[in-house]
Amino acid sequence: MTSIIPKIEAILGGEHVSTAEEDLLCYAYDATNRHYRPDAVAFPGNADEVSKILKLANQHRFFVVPRGAGTGMSGGALAVQGGLVLVMTRFSRILSIDTENFVAAVEPGVVTGHFQEVVEEKGLFYPPDPASASFSTLGGNVAECAGGPRAVKYGVTRDYVLGLEVVLPTGEIIKTGVRTAKGVVGYDLTRLMVGSEGTLGIITKIIFRLLARPEVVRTLSAVFARIHDAASTVSEIVRSGVLPRTVEYMDQAAIRCVEDHLKIGLPVDAGAMLLIDIDGSPSAVEATLGQLVPICEGKGAHEVKVAGSAQEAGELWRARKGISPALYKLGPDKMNQDIVVPRSRIPDMVEWIDDLRERTGLTIVTFGHAGDGNIHFNIMLDKRDEETLAKAESAIKELLRQTIALGGTISGEHGVGITKAPYIGMEIGTEELALMKRIKALFDPNGVLNPGKIF
Amino acid sequence: MTSIIPKIEAILGGEHVSTAEEDLLCYAYDATNRHYRPDAVAFPGNADEVSKILKLANQHRFFVVPRGAGTGMSGGALAVQGGLVLVMTRFSRILSIDTENFVAAVEPGVVTGHFQEVVEEKGLFYPPDPASASFSTLGGNVAECAGGPRAVKYGVTRDYVLGLEVVLPTGEIIKTGVRTAKGVVGYDLTRLMVGSEGTLGIITKIIFRLLARPEVVRTLSAVFARIHDAASTVSEIVRSGVLPRTVEYMDQAAIRCVEDHLKIGLPVDAGAMLLIDIDGSPSAVEATLGQLVPICEGKGAHEVKVAGSAQEAGELWRARKGISPALYKLGPDKMNQDIVVPRSRIPDMVEWIDDLRERTGLTIVTFGHAGDGNIHFNIMLDKRDEETLAKAESAIKELLRQTIALGGTISGEHGVGITKAPYIGMEIGTEELALMKRIKALFDPNGVLNPGKIF
């Protein structure tokens, strides 16, 4: 790599390339908390520079790993085989927001939450809302097909990407998709790129479709003695035809953990809590609340609270968003899975997890996007305790097997990366995997881009 | 081919293979009204048979062209280079409708309209609604990524496909996607298949997501003296945050043509008409109507009518759906384009088309999905009149060039097939086309499946 650095510097300018130990250390991590030291870090500023670097990589056969804010949960941004980490945060411009046609063009380094705010100020709405939205960048959201709580009503990142500019692993800069509401000309390269976890190309521009900003959002919480009642409430809500903006749930362990951390008066004896947002016109939202409250009560909720103000709603969401950090009270290490089951199987899955907890004695906390059947399953442990680690690893294998058995998928929004790569064969068949590998080889014949991921 | 027929018969049984002239003639056509006689026609009954036929095709190098109901508008189902037409209409079962999880599994030969009715009886909703829904089959809808009037609110076929079973051109049977609301494991083969126009595989099963059936649908028509006022009404509606189920428009030529055909009292002196459906809960629909009527009036509509009954609404829709057949009053041949421009550019496009009509003297009728910017542009002519034909061909080239100049796409829902293949280079760049061709070659190394399409 040492001999290559001057060539990279010649492309980017010396100030945008580093091999300083502190930089290598900073860009060795992502949200998986795993650690792979790259050989160098570079900060390109435009697609042309990215293209030149990828051509150089093919010529000299070094690995290139694109990276946004590093908030990914499956290791997509990690240089697991060393090489050059390409930090895309200089691609930070919102290029245009078309308030007539509800279309925006952005660079991949724009922070998700910032983009949301800017479009909302213009009366528009970008629904995808991953938990890391305050830090995550849109390029990573697209590469991983990020989800979030609002997916139950609004879908995931994929559903908002109209087109892309992408640098292929071999250096060609291509444009995919359209800027219009519809478009079916040629193969759908756009959606092949979305969720390909930075293995088929480096995104340098994104065209998003937007919606009109809903006029009002109201938040409702419902507390249940038994998690099964919460789960069957979710089924009943969906069956009723109501489509809330979010239907989140927290189990007892999650409630206790957050309350211990934030002290906001959560019901620590409850079996589960639902957190439901409704949006739309004021009259529609009122009407929906009028339907939801009796559904929750009919299913045994012993406390249903409609937040009276944005502040009250914010407090409730602070609890939900506080779970992930609060979990570390239960152990220094987290092993998390973002499984999805068909919505109606949530009660079965919850029961199965209860049994798993009992059988193994592991510290298991679950919460997630109940409206989608997307359960965030967390084992909190100290990985230095080898016995517990082995038990946790075997529990996860069991969990994923059970997920597949219930007709589910092993990842709803985090992607495969390195964390789920050992398990991909549980879900994807041999022929299908072989085809995906052939596609990877077609795009990246020398295997220079983001190696060691997915497969 | 003669020597191959017994082998195909051995796979399917003799009663499911034909070389009879009347069958070859029947399956030589589709909705483009072009004519390519295949060498044989076969009717497979399951994925395994399709697989065996494709393996045979690779062994003996004959062409295979999959076909549903043949309602496609770009020639996707035509055996342009001869070979075997594989008619998928025996795949006609709705395999399951899961009313808990809003998911259905169907075979590709199910008629779209039949599927819509069956799911609506169960309180569910399959929104994609191509004009040919009463005849078209779902496999073709997926292969072409069919759209239709409801796309403005509900998106296109792509947005409802969760997963597929597909026989690859080389005969492997693969499963793609999920049965859950979310899923990001591996490359998105599902959406690579959607809209690939039967060139990357033959669909043998489809997993659709469904919605809850909207409680009520109301229809509103608005008559304008000038088409520009109708166009700017559409912009105003979208800007207001209202999301109707459909926003269709007809120009004066279309109105006159339908009225002449159906005699239902349409305003033949009007410049344009909008046909707007709103759906949702009764209160939400009432509220929306309350917003829409003043918007239309404010933009100069001189007649705004809210249909009082399903029958009245049906009458209005009969006019809209009657356009395509009625057009043949204006000429024995139709050359149609389904261009899309950014919604806000519809007035510019309409003005440009007016000018084109004046400059060329061609009989041009436009109508379409104004809410998406999707304009159906039709030249009615007698193709035996060579001078007019040449003028029409040159007008279409101009139209597509203007579409691209306005930031649009040359096909919103019909696909490329053979009709737009000569123009694909106007929209898709050289690198992108080369990549698509490499993908085609990867999937279909011997080029046996649906040759001569797209590229």
Side-chain angles (χ1 to χ4, degrees):
Chain A
M1 200 73 197
T2 324
S3 65
I4 308 291
I5 301 294
K7 295 182 203 287
I8 300 173
E9 287 177 338
I11 296 169
L12 300 182
E15 71 277 29
H16 296 307
V17 185
S18 175
T19 52
E21 200 52 41
E22 60 272 27
D23 285 329
L24 302 187
L25 201 67
C26 280
Y27 293 102
Y29 288 94
D30 73 357
T32 59
N33 213 12
R34 302 195 189 193
H35 176 217
Y36 296 92
R37 191 175 163 283
D39 299 307
V41 184
F43 303 80
N46 59 57
D48 202 44
E49 290 177 355
V50 174
S51 163
K52 283 180 180 150
I53 287 174
L54 281 168
K55 283 180 180 160
L56 195 69
N58 278 278
Q59 202 182 333
H60 296 280
R61 304 293 161 92
F62 60 87
F63 296 131
V64 176
V65 180
R67 177 191 179 94
T71 58
M73 298 293 248
S74 56
L78 295 175
V80 293
Q81 297 177 22
L84 176 71
V85 163
L86 221 55
V87 184
M88 299 295 287
T89 45
R90 285 177 65 210
F91 285 76
S92 60
R93 290 177 302 165
I94 296 177
L95 301 167
S96 64
I97 297 177
D98 178 345
T99 55
E100 291 275 315
N101 295 299
F102 292 18
V103 170
V106 306
E107 291 185 331
V110 173
V111 171
T112 314
H114 173 64
F115 180 60
Q116 288 173 329
E117 280 167 24
V118 171
V119 302
E120 285 180 34
E121 274 164 25
K122 293 181 184 288
L124 300 176
F125 183 42
Y126 174 70
D129 190 33
S132 55
S134 345
F135 323 101
S136 72
T137 51
L138 291 165
N141 290 177
V142 172
E144 300 290 335
C145 190
R150 296 175 191 160
V152 60
K153 176 166 183 176
Y154 291 108
V156 296
T157 303
R158 178 198 302 129
D159 302 306
Y160 295 87
V161 183
L162 289 175
L164 295 170
E165 181 185 82
V166 177
V167 185
L168 295 181
T170 39
E172 299 88 345
I173 303 173
I174 65 163
K175 284 187 171 56
T176 75
V178 291
R179 282 178 165 267
T180 46
K182 284 174 175 168
V184 292
V185 177
Y187 296 149
D188 193 344
L189 299 177
T190 306
R191 288 163 194 92
L192 182 60
M193 285 292 166
V194 175
S196 66
E197 308 190 15
T199 65
L200 297 182
I202 298 181
I203 297 163
T204 49
K205 196 198 283 187
I206 310 162
I207 314 295
F208 282 120
R209 81 181 180 99
L210 302 170
L211 301 179
R213 189 187 61 211
E215 283 177 78
V216 293
V217 184
R218 296 290 298 279
T219 299
L220 172 154
S221 64
V223 175
F224 296 84
R226 302 184 326 133
I227 192 162
H228 303 84
D229 297 335
S232 75
T233 303
V234 173
S235 287
E236 186 59 28
I237 289 171
V238 175
R239 210 169 12 236
S240 77
V242 167
L243 202 53
R245 175 184 170 110
T246 68
V247 185
E248 296 289 294
Y249 91 99
M250 302 163 62
D251 73 2
Q252 187 176 58
I255 296 171
R256 289 187 175 178
C257 201
V258 176
E259 177 56 21
D260 191 37
H261 190 58
L262 296 180
K263 315 273 184 226
I264 51 178
L266 294 178
V268 291
D269 292 328
M273 222 180 116
L274 289 180
L275 191 59
I276 303 174
D277 272 5
I278 307 129
D279 65 6
S281 69
S283 60
V285 167
E286 275 314 308
T288 304
L289 281 174
Q291 284 178 272
L292 282 181
V293 173
I295 289 176
C296 292
E297 288 171 347
K299 287 283 173 185
H302 57 76
E303 194 192 312
V304 182
K305 219 168 37 184
V306 179
S309 64
Q311 200 191 335
E312 254 183 73
E315 196 83 324
L316 287 167
W317 273 98
R318 203 154 71 91
R320 167 63 184 84
K321 294 202 168 169
I323 301 174
S324 272
L327 286 179
Y328 288 98
K329 296 223 158 187
L330 301 176
D333 296 307
K334 178 163 76 174
M335 292 170 77
N336 67 340
Q337 299 294 325
D338 67 317
I339 55 162
V340 189
V341 293
R343 218 156 33 206
S344 68
R345 308 310 296 268
I346 294 180
D348 301 331
M349 197 67 202
V350 160
E351 203 163 313
W352 188 89
I353 292 170
D354 280 348
D355 176 64
L356 178 74
R357 188 188 281 120
E358 219 161 281
R359 276 192 288 125
T360 60
L362 289 164
T363 304
I364 297 174
V365 182
T366 73
F367 61 94
H369 317 308
D372 305 318
N374 194 176
I375 298 175
H376 290 283
F377 170 97
N378 303 272
I379 300 177
M380 300 310 299
L381 75 170
D382 185 336
K383 281 188 175 172
R384 289 166 306 185
D385 173 353
E386 285 179 19
E387 197 189 327
T388 308
L389 181 62
K391 219 190 275 181
E393 278 169 351
S394 127
I396 285 173
K397 219 171 280 175
E398 265 193 76
L399 172 84
L400 299 181
R401 215 174 290 133
Q402 180 65 7
T403 301
I404 300 289
L406 290 176
T409 172
I410 64 172
S411 181
E413 40 191 33
H414 295 170
V416 176
I418 55 171
T419 59
K420 292 207 185 64
Y423 311 117
I424 191 169
M426 295 172 70
E427 179 166 341
I428 310 282
T430 317
E431 289 292 357
E432 291 80 356
L433 266 180
L435 179 60
M436 290 179 191
K437 285 179 186 168
R438 289 203 301 273
I439 292 173
K440 167 66 178 173
L442 176 80
F443 277 73
D444 188 9
N446 298 318
V448 299
L449 186 64
N450 212 359
K453 309 298 168 68
I454 303 182
F455 309 113
Chain B
M1 201 71 198
T2 324
S3 66
I4 307 292
I5 301 295
K7 294 182 203 288
I8 300 173
E9 286 177 339
I11 295 169
L12 299 182
E15 71 276 28
H16 297 306
V17 186
S18 175
T19 53
E21 201 53 43
E22 61 272 26
D23 284 328
L24 301 187
L25 201 67
C26 280
Y27 294 102
Y29 288 95
D30 73 357
T32 58
N33 213 12
R34 301 195 191 194
H35 175 216
Y36 296 93
R37 190 174 163 284
D39 298 307
V41 185
F43 304 81
N46 58 58
D48 203 44
E49 290 177 355
V50 174
S51 164
K52 283 181 179 149
I53 288 174
L54 282 167
K55 283 180 180 160
L56 195 69
N58 278 278
Q59 203 184 331
H60 296 280
R61 304 295 162 88
F62 61 88
F63 296 132
V64 176
V65 180
R67 176 190 179 96
T71 58
M73 298 294 248
S74 55
L78 295 175
V80 293
Q81 296 176 22
L84 176 70
V85 163
L86 220 53
V87 184
M88 299 296 286
T89 44
R90 285 178 64 211
F91 286 75
S92 61
R93 290 177 303 165
I94 297 177
L95 301 167
S96 64
I97 298 177
D98 178 344
T99 54
E100 290 275 315
N101 295 298
F102 293 18
V103 169
V106 305
E107 291 186 330
V110 173
V111 171
T112 314
H114 173 64
F115 180 59
Q116 287 174 328
E117 280 168 23
V118 171
V119 302
E120 286 180 34
E121 275 164 26
K122 291 181 185 291
L124 300 176
F125 183 43
Y126 175 70
D129 190 33
S132 55
S134 345
F135 324 101
S136 73
T137 51
L138 291 164
N141 290 177
V142 173
E144 300 290 334
C145 191
R150 297 176 189 159
V152 59
K153 178 167 182 176
Y154 290 107
V156 296
T157 303
R158 178 199 301 128
D159 301 306
Y160 294 87
V161 182
L162 288 175
L164 295 170
E165 180 186 83
V166 177
V167 185
L168 296 181
T170 38
E172 299 88 346
I173 304 173
I174 65 163
K175 284 187 170 54
T176 74
V178 289
R179 281 177 165 269
T180 47
K182 284 174 176 169
V184 292
V185 177
Y187 296 148
D188 193 344
L189 299 178
T190 306
R191 289 163 193 89
L192 182 59
M193 285 292 165
V194 175
S196 65
E197 308 191 13
T199 65
L200 297 182
I202 298 182
I203 296 163
T204 48
K205 197 197 280 187
I206 310 162
I207 313 294
F208 282 120
R209 82 180 180 100
L210 302 169
L211 301 180
R213 189 187 60 211
E215 285 177 77
V216 293
V217 185
R218 297 291 299 276
T219 299
L220 173 155
S221 64
V223 175
F224 296 84
R226 303 184 324 132
I227 193 162
H228 303 83
D229 296 335
S232 77
T233 302
V234 173
S235 288
E236 186 60 25
I237 289 171
V238 175
R239 209 168 14 236
S240 76
V242 168
L243 202 52
R245 173 183 170 113
T246 68
V247 186
E248 296 289 297
Y249 91 98
M250 302 163 62
D251 73 3
Q252 186 175 60
I255 296 170
R256 289 188 173 177
C257 203
V258 177
E259 178 56 23
D260 191 34
H261 190 55
L262 296 180
K263 316 275 185 224
I264 50 178
L266 294 179
V268 292
D269 292 328
M273 221 178 115
L274 289 181
L275 189 58
I276 303 175
D277 273 3
I278 308 129
D279 65 6
S281 69
S283 60
V285 167
E286 274 315 306
T288 305
L289 281 174
Q291 283 178 274
L292 281 181
V293 174
I295 290 175
C296 291
E297 288 170 349
K299 287 283 172 184
H302 55 75
E303 193 192 313
V304 182
K305 218 170 31 184
V306 180
S309 64
Q311 200 193 334
E312 255 183 74
E315 197 82 322
L316 288 167
W317 273 99
R318 202 154 72 91
R320 167 63 184 82
K321 293 200 169 170
I323 301 174
S324 271
L327 286 180
Y328 288 98
K329 295 223 158 188
L330 301 175
D333 296 307
K334 177 162 76 173
M335 292 171 77
N336 67 338
Q337 298 292 326
D338 66 316
I339 56 164
V340 189
V341 294
R343 216 157 32 207
S344 68
R345 309 309 295 270
I346 294 180
D348 301 332
M349 197 68 202
V350 160
E351 202 163 315
W352 187 90
I353 292 171
D354 280 348
D355 177 64
L356 178 75
R357 185 188 282 118
E358 218 161 282
R359 275 191 289 123
T360 60
L362 289 165
T363 304
I364 297 175
V365 182
T366 74
F367 61 94
H369 317 308
D372 304 317
N374 193 177
I375 297 174
H376 290 283
F377 171 98
N378 304 272
I379 300 177
M380 299 311 299
L381 76 170
D382 185 336
K383 281 186 175 175
R384 290 165 304 185
D385 172 353
E386 285 180 18
E387 196 190 327
T388 308
L389 180 62
K391 219 190 271 179
E393 278 168 352
S394 127
I396 285 173
K397 218 171 282 176
E398 264 194 78
L399 172 84
L400 299 181
R401 214 174 290 129
Q402 180 66 7
T403 301
I404 300 288
L406 290 176
T409 172
I410 64 171
S411 180
E413 40 191 34
H414 295 170
V416 177
I418 55 171
T419 59
K420 293 207 183 66
Y423 312 117
I424 191 170
M426 294 171 71
E427 178 165 340
I428 309 284
T430 317
E431 289 293 357
E432 290 81 356
L433 266 181
L435 179 60
M436 290 179 192
K437 285 180 186 168
R438 288 203 303 274
I439 292 173
K440 167 67 176 172
L442 176 79
F443 276 73
D444 187 9
N446 298 319
V448 299
L449 186 64
N450 212 358
K453 308 299 167 67
I454 304 181
F455 309 112

Short mmCIF file of all heavy atoms in Angstrom, two decimals, chain A residues 291-322:
data_model
loop_
_atom_site.label_atom_id
_atom_site.label_comp_id
_atom_site.label_asym_id
_atom_site.label_seq_id
_atom_site.Cartn_x
_atom_site.Cartn_y
_atom_site.Cartn_z
N GLN A 291 -60.51 5.34 16.71
CA GLN A 291 -60.57 3.90 16.46
C GLN A 291 -59.54 3.14 17.30
O GLN A 291 -59.79 2.03 17.74
CB GLN A 291 -60.24 3.61 14.98
CG GLN A 291 -61.35 3.91 13.99
CD GLN A 291 -60.87 3.64 12.56
OE1 GLN A 291 -60.31 4.51 11.91
NE2 GLN A 291 -61.08 2.42 12.08
N LEU A 292 -58.35 3.76 17.45
CA LEU A 292 -57.23 3.03 18.07
C LEU A 292 -57.41 2.81 19.56
O LEU A 292 -57.10 1.73 20.08
CB LEU A 292 -55.92 3.79 17.83
CG LEU A 292 -55.30 3.63 16.46
CD1 LEU A 292 -54.00 4.43 16.40
CD2 LEU A 292 -55.03 2.16 16.15
N VAL A 293 -57.88 3.84 20.26
CA VAL A 293 -57.98 3.73 21.72
C VAL A 293 -58.84 2.53 22.12
O VAL A 293 -58.40 1.67 22.90
CB VAL A 293 -58.46 5.06 22.35
CG1 VAL A 293 -58.72 4.89 23.84
CG2 VAL A 293 -57.43 6.16 22.09
N PRO A 294 -60.06 2.39 21.57
CA PRO A 294 -60.86 1.21 21.94
C PRO A 294 -60.23 -0.12 21.51
O PRO A 294 -60.40 -1.12 22.20
CB PRO A 294 -62.19 1.42 21.21
CG PRO A 294 -62.06 2.63 20.37
CD PRO A 294 -60.82 3.34 20.73
N ILE A 295 -59.47 -0.13 20.39
CA ILE A 295 -58.81 -1.39 20.00
C ILE A 295 -57.81 -1.79 21.08
O ILE A 295 -57.79 -2.94 21.53
CB ILE A 295 -58.09 -1.25 18.64
CG1 ILE A 295 -59.12 -1.15 17.50
CG2 ILE A 295 -57.15 -2.43 18.39
CD1 ILE A 295 -58.52 -0.91 16.12
N CYS A 296 -56.99 -0.84 21.52
CA CYS A 296 -55.99 -1.14 22.56
C CYS A 296 -56.69 -1.60 23.84
O CYS A 296 -56.30 -2.60 24.45
CB CYS A 296 -55.13 0.09 22.86
SG CYS A 296 -54.06 0.57 21.49
N GLU A 297 -57.73 -0.86 24.23
CA GLU A 297 -58.42 -1.21 25.47
C GLU A 297 -59.09 -2.58 25.36
O GLU A 297 -59.04 -3.39 26.28
CB GLU A 297 -59.44 -0.12 25.82
CG GLU A 297 -58.73 1.15 26.31
CD GLU A 297 -59.65 2.36 26.47
OE1 GLU A 297 -60.80 2.29 25.96
OE2 GLU A 297 -59.22 3.36 27.07
N GLY A 298 -59.68 -2.82 24.20
CA GLY A 298 -60.34 -4.12 23.99
C GLY A 298 -59.38 -5.29 24.09
O GLY A 298 -59.78 -6.41 24.39
N LYS A 299 -58.12 -5.03 23.81
CA LYS A 299 -57.13 -6.10 23.88
C LYS A 299 -56.44 -6.14 25.24
O LYS A 299 -55.42 -6.82 25.41
CB LYS A 299 -56.09 -5.92 22.77
CG LYS A 299 -56.61 -6.25 21.39
CD LYS A 299 -56.68 -7.77 21.19
CE LYS A 299 -57.37 -8.14 19.89
NZ LYS A 299 -57.53 -9.61 19.77
N GLY A 300 -56.96 -5.34 26.19
CA GLY A 300 -56.46 -5.47 27.56
C GLY A 300 -55.42 -4.45 27.99
O GLY A 300 -54.80 -4.61 29.04
N ALA A 301 -55.24 -3.38 27.21
CA ALA A 301 -54.30 -2.34 27.65
C ALA A 301 -54.86 -1.70 28.91
O ALA A 301 -56.03 -1.36 28.96
CB ALA A 301 -54.15 -1.28 26.56
N HIS A 302 -54.04 -1.59 29.97
CA HIS A 302 -54.60 -0.99 31.18
C HIS A 302 -54.23 0.47 31.33
O HIS A 302 -54.59 1.12 32.28
CB HIS A 302 -54.25 -1.81 32.44
CG HIS A 302 -52.79 -2.02 32.66
ND1 HIS A 302 -51.97 -1.06 33.14
CD2 HIS A 302 -52.02 -3.12 32.44
CE1 HIS A 302 -50.74 -1.54 33.23
NE2 HIS A 302 -50.75 -2.79 32.80
N GLU A 303 -53.53 0.99 30.34
CA GLU A 303 -53.25 2.43 30.35
C GLU A 303 -53.04 2.86 28.90
O GLU A 303 -52.09 2.40 28.26
CB GLU A 303 -51.99 2.70 31.18
CG GLU A 303 -51.79 4.17 31.53
CD GLU A 303 -50.38 4.41 32.10
OE1 GLU A 303 -49.96 3.66 33.00
OE2 GLU A 303 -49.71 5.33 31.61
N VAL A 304 -53.94 3.67 28.38
CA VAL A 304 -53.78 4.18 27.02
C VAL A 304 -53.69 5.69 27.13
O VAL A 304 -54.59 6.35 27.67
CB VAL A 304 -54.96 3.80 26.11
CG1 VAL A 304 -54.73 4.31 24.70
CG2 VAL A 304 -55.15 2.29 26.10
N LYS A 305 -52.58 6.25 26.66
CA LYS A 305 -52.35 7.68 26.84
C LYS A 305 -52.12 8.33 25.48
O LYS A 305 -51.25 7.87 24.73
CB LYS A 305 -51.11 7.88 27.71
CG LYS A 305 -51.26 9.02 28.69
CD LYS A 305 -50.20 9.11 29.78
CE LYS A 305 -48.79 8.75 29.41
NZ LYS A 305 -47.88 8.78 30.59
N VAL A 306 -52.90 9.34 25.16
CA VAL A 306 -52.64 10.11 23.95
C VAL A 306 -51.84 11.34 24.37
O VAL A 306 -52.30 12.12 25.20
CB VAL A 306 -53.95 10.52 23.25
CG1 VAL A 306 -53.64 11.35 22.01
CG2 VAL A 306 -54.77 9.30 22.89
N ALA A 307 -50.65 11.49 23.82
CA ALA A 307 -49.80 12.61 24.21
C ALA A 307 -50.51 13.92 23.88
O ALA A 307 -51.01 14.10 22.77
CB ALA A 307 -48.46 12.53 23.49
N GLY A 308 -50.57 14.82 24.86
CA GLY A 308 -51.31 16.05 24.68
C GLY A 308 -50.52 17.12 23.95
O GLY A 308 -51.10 18.06 23.41
N SER A 309 -49.22 16.96 23.94
CA SER A 309 -48.38 18.00 23.30
C SER A 309 -47.19 17.34 22.62
O SER A 309 -46.89 16.17 22.86
CB SER A 309 -47.85 18.94 24.39
OG SER A 309 -47.01 18.20 25.27
N ALA A 310 -46.54 18.14 21.79
CA ALA A 310 -45.34 17.63 21.11
C ALA A 310 -44.29 17.24 22.15
O ALA A 310 -43.54 16.29 21.96
CB ALA A 310 -44.79 18.70 20.17
N GLN A 311 -44.29 17.97 23.27
CA GLN A 311 -43.30 17.69 24.30
C GLN A 311 -43.57 16.32 24.94
O GLN A 311 -42.64 15.53 25.14
CB GLN A 311 -43.37 18.79 25.36
CG GLN A 311 -42.10 18.87 26.21
CD GLN A 311 -42.30 19.78 27.41
OE1 GLN A 311 -43.16 20.68 27.39
NE2 GLN A 311 -41.55 19.55 28.47
N GLU A 312 -44.84 16.07 25.25
CA GLU A 312 -45.20 14.77 25.82
C GLU A 312 -44.86 13.64 24.86
O GLU A 312 -44.36 12.59 25.25
CB GLU A 312 -46.71 14.74 26.09
CG GLU A 312 -47.08 14.86 27.57
CD GLU A 312 -48.60 14.76 27.75
OE1 GLU A 312 -49.14 13.65 27.60
OE2 GLU A 312 -49.20 15.81 28.00
N ALA A 313 -45.15 13.87 23.57
CA ALA A 313 -44.83 12.86 22.56
C ALA A 313 -43.32 12.64 22.48
O ALA A 313 -42.84 11.51 22.40
CB ALA A 313 -45.37 13.28 21.19
N GLY A 314 -42.59 13.75 22.56
CA GLY A 314 -41.14 13.67 22.51
C GLY A 314 -40.59 12.84 23.66
O GLY A 314 -39.64 12.06 23.48
N GLU A 315 -41.22 12.97 24.82
CA GLU A 315 -40.80 12.22 26.01
C GLU A 315 -40.97 10.71 25.76
O GLU A 315 -40.09 9.92 26.05
CB GLU A 315 -41.69 12.67 27.19
CG GLU A 315 -41.16 12.29 28.53
CD GLU A 315 -40.10 13.28 29.03
OE1 GLU A 315 -39.29 13.81 28.22
OE2 GLU A 315 -40.08 13.51 30.23
N LEU A 316 -42.12 10.36 25.19
CA LEU A 316 -42.39 8.95 24.90
C LEU A 316 -41.37 8.40 23.90
O LEU A 316 -40.85 7.30 24.06
CB LEU A 316 -43.80 8.78 24.35
CG LEU A 316 -44.94 8.94 25.36
CD1 LEU A 316 -46.29 9.07 24.65
CD2 LEU A 316 -44.95 7.76 26.33
N TRP A 317 -41.07 9.19 22.89
CA TRP A 317 -40.10 8.75 21.89
C TRP A 317 -38.69 8.71 22.45
O TRP A 317 -37.86 7.92 22.01
CB TRP A 317 -40.17 9.62 20.63
CG TRP A 317 -41.22 9.07 19.72
CD1 TRP A 317 -42.51 9.50 19.59
CD2 TRP A 317 -41.08 7.93 18.88
NE1 TRP A 317 -43.18 8.69 18.70
CE2 TRP A 317 -42.34 7.72 18.24
CE3 TRP A 317 -40.04 7.05 18.58
CZ2 TRP A 317 -42.56 6.68 17.35
CZ3 TRP A 317 -40.26 6.02 17.68
CH2 TRP A 317 -41.51 5.84 17.08
N ARG A 318 -38.43 9.58 23.46
CA ARG A 318 -37.12 9.55 24.08
C ARG A 318 -36.90 8.18 24.73
O ARG A 318 -35.80 7.63 24.70
CB ARG A 318 -37.01 10.68 25.13
CG ARG A 318 -35.58 11.08 25.43
CD ARG A 318 -35.50 12.52 25.93
NE ARG A 318 -36.06 12.67 27.27
CZ ARG A 318 -35.34 12.56 28.40
NH1 ARG A 318 -34.05 12.30 28.34
NH2 ARG A 318 -35.91 12.72 29.57
N ALA A 319 -37.96 7.63 25.29
CA ALA A 319 -37.87 6.30 25.88
C ALA A 319 -37.52 5.27 24.81
O ALA A 319 -36.57 4.50 24.94
CB ALA A 319 -39.21 5.94 26.54
N ARG A 320 -38.26 5.31 23.71
CA ARG A 320 -38.03 4.32 22.66
C ARG A 320 -36.63 4.44 22.08
O ARG A 320 -35.93 3.44 21.89
CB ARG A 320 -39.10 4.51 21.56
CG ARG A 320 -38.85 3.81 20.26
CD ARG A 320 -38.83 2.30 20.41
NE ARG A 320 -38.50 1.67 19.12
CZ ARG A 320 -37.27 1.49 18.68
NH1 ARG A 320 -36.23 1.87 19.41
NH2 ARG A 320 -37.06 0.93 17.50
N LYS A 321 -36.21 5.69 21.83
CA LYS A 321 -34.90 5.88 21.22
C LYS A 321 -33.77 5.66 22.22
O LYS A 321 -32.62 5.47 21.84
CB LYS A 321 -34.80 7.27 20.58
CG LYS A 321 -35.76 7.41 19.38
CD LYS A 321 -35.36 8.51 18.40
CE LYS A 321 -36.18 8.36 17.12
NZ LYS A 321 -36.08 9.48 16.20
N GLY A 322 -34.14 5.71 23.51
CA GLY A 322 -33.12 5.51 24.54
C GLY A 322 -32.77 4.06 24.77
O GLY A 322 -31.84 3.75 25.52
#
